[in-house]
Amino acid sequence: MRCPGVDLVRHPAGATDLVLLAHGGQEHSHADPHLWRPALLRMWPFAPAARSAAPDAAVGLLRYRFRGWNDDGDAAADLRAVLDALPPVISRVLLIGHSMGGRAVVAAGDHPRVAGVLALAPWLPRDEPLVALRPPVTFAHGTDDTMTDPAGTTAYAARLRAAGVAVTTYLLEGEGHAMLRRPADWNRIVADFVAGRTSEDLPETSAHVASAVGSIAVARFRMPVRERFRVPCRTKTH
């Protein structure tokens, strides 16, 4: 039986803050979200970006039981289980999620340990329940994304603002769902969010997709998994 947990790539002694990266997935799948899936690998460069912005914080990647959101919102349930089970020394968690992971961090963003939510190209359907998020809340989406709808992100942000929640939003011109055309801008958004800053106007930097993929490989091998934290498995299986 697979259990949700966190793969820690950085864990300084005495860390009280955790930057938790939640990768994307599929609408329906109970397959194993193994370590070398592209959706998980794409999150790896955000680990050194977070480390540079908060050198005293722990940094980890959320590990789901399944690749899919599924009918029960498994990714969000796994995230909540992890937040509930973290050691007491971790008092503040910054959530950063992409695609399905963006939906998960929004859905679990009202957890008492959560100190901020950053959703990158999130999957936010039109009828997604409004969650009482606490600032800082940041949404970023590429205008050329054909996998998840930038309009859905904008609409959800508008609903939050109407409810009195301050939200920072970025639309990255010419960027697609994989976040490979403007990697420096995505890294900057992550670093500024973790540091508690608001990014100035992004410089619209671009890169060849091959070089962006290369940066993922470099980050993956320079910040290997150093520690694994798993929560007790629930009885429900598929």
Side-chain angles (χ1 to χ4, degrees):
M1 182 187 302
R2 293 190 299 269
C3 309
V6 179
D7 286 348
L8 289 165
V9 295
R10 180 170 175 77
H11 192 192
T16 59
D17 290 0
L18 169 65
V19 181
L20 188 53
L21 305 169
H23 67 82
Q26 300 169 228
E27 184 173 358
H28 299 288
S29 174
H30 293 106
D32 180 10
H34 61 75
L35 194 62
W36 293 98
R37 280 186 59 75
L40 178 56
L41 291 174
R42 180 59 188 90
M43 302 303 288
W44 229 277
F46 299 142
R51 176 189 59 189
S52 67
D56 296 329
V59 181
L61 294 107
L62 180 64
R63 298 305 304 277
Y64 313 114
R65 291 168 298 150
F66 313 119
R67 293 183 191 177
W69 181 264
N70 304 319
D71 294 332
D72 297 324
D74 285 317
D78 288 350
L79 174 53
R80 282 195 175 274
V82 166
L83 291 169
D84 286 341
L86 288 172
V89 67
I90 300 296
S91 58
R92 298 177 69 255
V93 182
L94 293 174
L95 297 179
I96 301 172
H98 171 236
S99 191
M100 182 186 78
R103 187 178 185 182
V105 301
V106 169
D110 59 349
H111 191 281
R113 272 182 161 154
V114 174
V117 170
L118 169 58
L120 308 173
W123 170 32
L124 294 172
R126 185 179 299 274
D127 58 352
E128 188 71 3
L130 193 67
V131 178
L133 301 178
R134 298 178 297 276
V137 179
T138 300
F139 292 159
H141 217 126
T143 60
D144 289 0
D145 193 332
T146 59
M147 294 290 293
T148 58
D149 188 1
T153 296
T154 302
Y156 196 92
R159 291 168 61 198
L160 282 173
R161 292 190 184 103
V165 179
V167 184
T168 300
T169 57
Y170 300 100
L171 287 176
L172 277 69
E173 291 291 335
E175 181 58 281
H177 189 67
M179 306 182 294
L180 295 175
R181 300 176 192 165
R182 298 176 58 174
D185 291 333
W186 294 106
N187 290 346
R188 178 176 171 182
I189 290 171
V190 167
D192 284 353
F193 170 77
V194 171
R197 302 185 298 259
T198 300
S199 296
E200 302 296 332
D201 291 337
L202 295 173
E204 297 190 23
T205 56
S206 61
H208 293 295
V209 171
S211 65
V213 172
S215 71
I216 293 171
V218 169
R220 171 67 180 85
F221 286 103
R222 285 186 176 175
M223 293 190 73
V225 175
R226 301 188 179 278
E227 183 179 348
R228 287 186 165 90
F229 170 78
R230 293 291 180 265
V231 304
C233 290
R234 299 189 289 276
T235 57
K236 180 181 178 182
T237 60
H238 294 266

